[in-house]
């Protein structure tokens, strides 16, 4: 770890309720929500509630919890969108592409022949995010 954890990062603010999100799942250790600049339909995030930047400083227990939540999301998005596959991405420090310094996993449903969009585009329409979130919540409730 090269920098200390900054509790003013956007995901910490989401956890504190200072910034709204389309919640998919929450337990005592993790939180999952829709990515507002999705690279594909159903792109969502799983984060730890523990204050850590990335894999370089996370303790074993919060890491295990967020990986378990990530797996739940993988199964749910595959079912919710009838996806051909699912991409899971996780970045550590700026050189790797990390831009939000709070441990998180990207979960993106994938479809044959459809490339990912850049993660730098405009924010998705809130109605689209809400509809996609509902599909994922339903799949989670069915125990994907």
């Amino acid at each position: 770890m090269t920098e200390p954890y900054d509790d003013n990062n956007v995901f910490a603010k989401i956890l504190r309720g200072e910034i709204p999100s389309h919640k998919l799942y929450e337990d005592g250790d993790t939180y999952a929500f829709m990515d507002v600049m999705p690279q594909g339909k159903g792109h969502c995030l799983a984060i730890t509630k523990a204050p850590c930047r990335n894999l370089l400083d996370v303790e074993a227990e919060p890491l295990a919890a967020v990986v378990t939540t990530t797996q739940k999301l993988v199964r749910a998005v595959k079912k919710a969108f009838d996806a051909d596959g699912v991409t899971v991405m996780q970045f550590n420090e700026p050189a790797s592409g990390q831009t939000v310094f709070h441990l998180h996993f990207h979960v993106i449903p994938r479809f044959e022949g459809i490339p990912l969009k850049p993660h730098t585009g405009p924010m998705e329409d809130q109605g689209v995010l809400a509809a996609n979130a509902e599909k994922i919540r339903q799949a989670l409730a069915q125990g994907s």
Side-chain angles (χ1 to χ4, degrees), residues 11-106:
F11 294 165
K13 290 178 179 183
I14 287 171
L15 285 171
R16 291 192 301 265
E18 297 170 10
I19 296 175
S21 66
H22 292 275
K23 180 169 96 168
L24 303 171
Y25 175 84
E26 182 174 15
D27 60 27
D29 300 308
T30 66
Y31 187 77
F33 57 101
M34 299 304 296
D35 192 307
V36 297
M37 292 192 305
Q39 292 182 265
K41 180 173 61 174
H43 183 167
C44 54
L45 301 164
I47 67 174
T48 179
K49 289 184 177 179
C52 51
R53 284 174 56 93
N54 53 42
L55 287 175
L56 299 169
D57 65 339
V58 66
E59 298 292 328
E61 294 82 12
L63 178 59
V66 75
V67 169
T68 298
T69 295
T70 299
Q71 184 182 45
K72 289 177 185 181
L73 288 177
V74 166
R75 291 174 174 162
V77 301
K78 186 164 186 334
K79 181 176 183 176
F81 298 99
D82 195 27
D84 298 317
V86 181
T87 293
V88 175
M89 294 187 288
Q90 194 282 318
F91 305 97
N92 300 281
E93 298 301 329
S96 73
Q98 185 179 11
T99 58
V100 177
F101 296 95
H102 183 107
L103 179 62
H104 61 285
F105 289 81
H106 294 262

